[in-house]
PDB file of all heavy atoms in Angstrom:
ATOM      1  N   LYS A  85     199.395  87.726  50.387  1.00 74.00           N
ATOM      2  CA  LYS A  85     198.752  88.216  51.588  1.00 74.00           C
ATOM      3  C   LYS A  85     198.028  89.503  51.372  1.00 74.00           C
ATOM      4  O   LYS A  85     197.119  89.907  52.148  1.00 74.00           O
ATOM      5  CB  LYS A  85     199.846  88.422  52.682  1.00 74.00           C
ATOM      6  CG  LYS A  85     200.488  87.169  53.129  1.00 74.00           C
ATOM      7  CD  LYS A  85     201.452  87.441  54.363  1.00 74.00           C
ATOM      8  CE  LYS A  85     202.036  86.148  54.921  1.00 74.00           C
ATOM      9  NZ  LYS A  85     200.968  85.289  55.576  1.00 74.00           N
ATOM     10  N   MET A  86     198.349  90.205  50.265  1.00 82.00           N
ATOM     11  CA  MET A  86     197.642  91.422  49.850  1.00 82.00           C
ATOM     12  C   MET A  86     197.554  92.442  50.949  1.00 82.00           C
ATOM     13  O   MET A  86     196.470  92.968  51.364  1.00 82.00           O
ATOM     14  CB  MET A  86     196.233  91.091  49.352  1.00 82.00           C
ATOM     15  CG  MET A  86     196.210  90.232  48.054  1.00 82.00           C
ATOM     16  SD  MET A  86     194.507  90.197  47.325  1.00 82.00           S
ATOM     17  CE  MET A  86     194.852  89.134  45.940  1.00 82.00           C
ATOM     18  N   VAL A  87     198.733  92.775  51.549  1.00 83.00           N
ATOM     19  CA  VAL A  87     198.778  93.813  52.579  1.00 83.00           C
ATOM     20  C   VAL A  87     198.205  95.106  52.118  1.00 83.00           C
ATOM     21  O   VAL A  87     197.570  95.842  52.836  1.00 83.00           O
ATOM     22  CB  VAL A  87     200.224  93.983  53.028  1.00 83.00           C
ATOM     23  CG1 VAL A  87     200.385  95.101  54.051  1.00 83.00           C
ATOM     24  CG2 VAL A  87     200.774  92.688  53.665  1.00 83.00           C
ATOM     25  N   TRP A  88     198.482  95.445  50.851  1.00 88.00           N
ATOM     26  CA  TRP A  88     197.917  96.698  50.271  1.00 88.00           C
ATOM     27  C   TRP A  88     196.416  96.742  50.332  1.00 88.00           C
ATOM     28  O   TRP A  88     195.790  97.792  50.552  1.00 88.00           O
ATOM     29  CB  TRP A  88     198.416  96.852  48.837  1.00 88.00           C
ATOM     30  CG  TRP A  88     197.991  95.785  47.916  1.00 88.00           C
ATOM     31  CD1 TRP A  88     198.592  94.600  47.632  1.00 88.00           C
ATOM     32  CD2 TRP A  88     196.737  95.699  47.150  1.00 88.00           C
ATOM     33  NE1 TRP A  88     197.825  93.819  46.795  1.00 88.00           N
ATOM     34  CE2 TRP A  88     196.664  94.469  46.492  1.00 88.00           C
ATOM     35  CE3 TRP A  88     195.709  96.667  46.981  1.00 88.00           C
ATOM     36  CZ2 TRP A  88     195.709  94.167  45.595  1.00 88.00           C
ATOM     37  CZ3 TRP A  88     194.671  96.283  46.154  1.00 88.00           C
ATOM     38  CH2 TRP A  88     194.635  95.047  45.488  1.00 88.00           C
ATOM     39  N   LEU A  89     195.779  95.616  50.070  1.00 90.00           N
ATOM     40  CA  LEU A  89     194.343  95.569  50.039  1.00 90.00           C
ATOM     41  C   LEU A  89     193.818  95.683  51.504  1.00 90.00           C
ATOM     42  O   LEU A  89     192.829  96.426  51.692  1.00 90.00           O
ATOM     43  CB  LEU A  89     193.820  94.216  49.499  1.00 90.00           C
ATOM     44  CG  LEU A  89     192.319  94.028  49.398  1.00 90.00           C
ATOM     45  CD1 LEU A  89     191.670  95.080  48.472  1.00 90.00           C
ATOM     46  CD2 LEU A  89     192.024  92.569  48.913  1.00 90.00           C
ATOM     47  N   ASN A  90     194.442  95.137  52.439  1.00 88.00           N
ATOM     48  CA  ASN A  90     194.105  95.255  53.856  1.00 88.00           C
ATOM     49  C   ASN A  90     194.118  96.709  54.301  1.00 88.00           C
ATOM     50  O   ASN A  90     193.235  97.241  54.935  1.00 88.00           O
ATOM     51  CB  ASN A  90     194.975  94.393  54.762  1.00 88.00           C
ATOM     52  CG  ASN A  90     194.464  94.308  56.170  1.00 88.00           C
ATOM     53  OD1 ASN A  90     193.275  94.094  56.406  1.00 88.00           O
ATOM     54  ND2 ASN A  90     195.380  94.608  57.124  1.00 88.00           N
ATOM     55  N   ASP A  91     195.236  97.406  53.848  1.00 91.00           N
ATOM     56  CA  ASP A  91     195.382  98.824  54.214  1.00 91.00           C
ATOM     57  C   ASP A  91     194.296  99.678  53.507  1.00 91.00           C
ATOM     58  O   ASP A  91     193.667 100.584  54.112  1.00 91.00           O
ATOM     59  CB  ASP A  91     196.769  99.347  53.744  1.00 91.00           C
ATOM     60  CG  ASP A  91     197.882  98.734  54.530  1.00 91.00           C
ATOM     61  OD1 ASP A  91     197.597  98.208  55.653  1.00 91.00           O
ATOM     62  OD2 ASP A  91     199.049  98.721  54.023  1.00 91.00           O
ATOM     63  N   LEU A  92     194.000  99.285  52.270  1.00 93.00           N
ATOM     64  CA  LEU A  92     192.914  99.981  51.507  1.00 93.00           C
ATOM     65  C   LEU A  92     191.576  99.792  52.153  1.00 93.00           C
ATOM     66  O   LEU A  92     190.770 100.828  52.326  1.00 93.00           O
ATOM     67  CB  LEU A  92     192.946  99.498  50.074  1.00 93.00           C
ATOM     68  CG  LEU A  92     191.826 100.112  49.177  1.00 93.00           C
ATOM     69  CD1 LEU A  92     192.091 101.637  48.913  1.00 93.00           C
ATOM     70  CD2 LEU A  92     191.807  99.412  47.777  1.00 93.00           C
ATOM     71  N   MET A  93     191.237  98.648  52.572  1.00 93.00           N
ATOM     72  CA  MET A  93     189.984  98.414  53.270  1.00 93.00           C
ATOM     73  C   MET A  93     189.935  99.149  54.572  1.00 93.00           C
ATOM     74  O   MET A  93     188.841  99.570  55.006  1.00 93.00           O
ATOM     75  CB  MET A  93     189.740  96.898  53.421  1.00 93.00           C
ATOM     76  CG  MET A  93     189.547  96.119  52.130  1.00 93.00           C
ATOM     77  SD  MET A  93     188.183  96.904  51.180  1.00 93.00           S
ATOM     78  CE  MET A  93     188.367  96.121  49.606  1.00 93.00           C
ATOM     79  N   GLY A  94     191.048  99.158  55.267  1.00 93.00           N
ATOM     80  CA  GLY A  94     191.129  99.946  56.547  1.00 93.00           C
ATOM     81  C   GLY A  94     190.794 101.417  56.285  1.00 93.00           C
ATOM     82  O   GLY A  94     190.027 102.039  57.103  1.00 93.00           O
ATOM     83  N   LYS A  95     191.366 101.973  55.258  1.00 93.00           N
ATOM     84  CA  LYS A  95     191.039 103.403  54.934  1.00 93.00           C
ATOM     85  C   LYS A  95     189.603 103.584  54.558  1.00 93.00           C
ATOM     86  O   LYS A  95     188.943 104.607  54.918  1.00 93.00           O
ATOM     87  CB  LYS A  95     191.931 103.949  53.863  1.00 93.00           C
ATOM     88  CG  LYS A  95     193.425 103.986  54.272  1.00 93.00           C
ATOM     89  CD  LYS A  95     194.310 104.441  53.034  1.00 93.00           C
ATOM     90  CE  LYS A  95     195.756 104.492  53.477  1.00 93.00           C
ATOM     91  NZ  LYS A  95     196.670 104.903  52.373  1.00 93.00           N
ATOM     92  N   LEU A  96     189.055 102.588  53.836  1.00 94.00           N
ATOM     93  CA  LEU A  96     187.677 102.645  53.443  1.00 94.00           C
ATOM     94  C   LEU A  96     186.742 102.604  54.689  1.00 94.00           C
ATOM     95  O   LEU A  96     185.766 103.422  54.793  1.00 94.00           O
ATOM     96  CB  LEU A  96     187.323 101.418  52.520  1.00 94.00           C
ATOM     97  CG  LEU A  96     185.881 101.295  52.014  1.00 94.00           C
ATOM     98  CD1 LEU A  96     185.547 102.465  51.098  1.00 94.00           C
ATOM     99  CD2 LEU A  96     185.629 100.006  51.366  1.00 94.00           C
TER     100      LEU A  96
END
Side-chain angles (χ1 to χ4, degrees):
K85 291 184 178 294
M86 294 191 184
V87 174
W88 61 271
L89 181 62
N90 189 48
D91 295 338
L92 179 62
M93 292 304 167
K95 292 178 181 178
L96 179 67

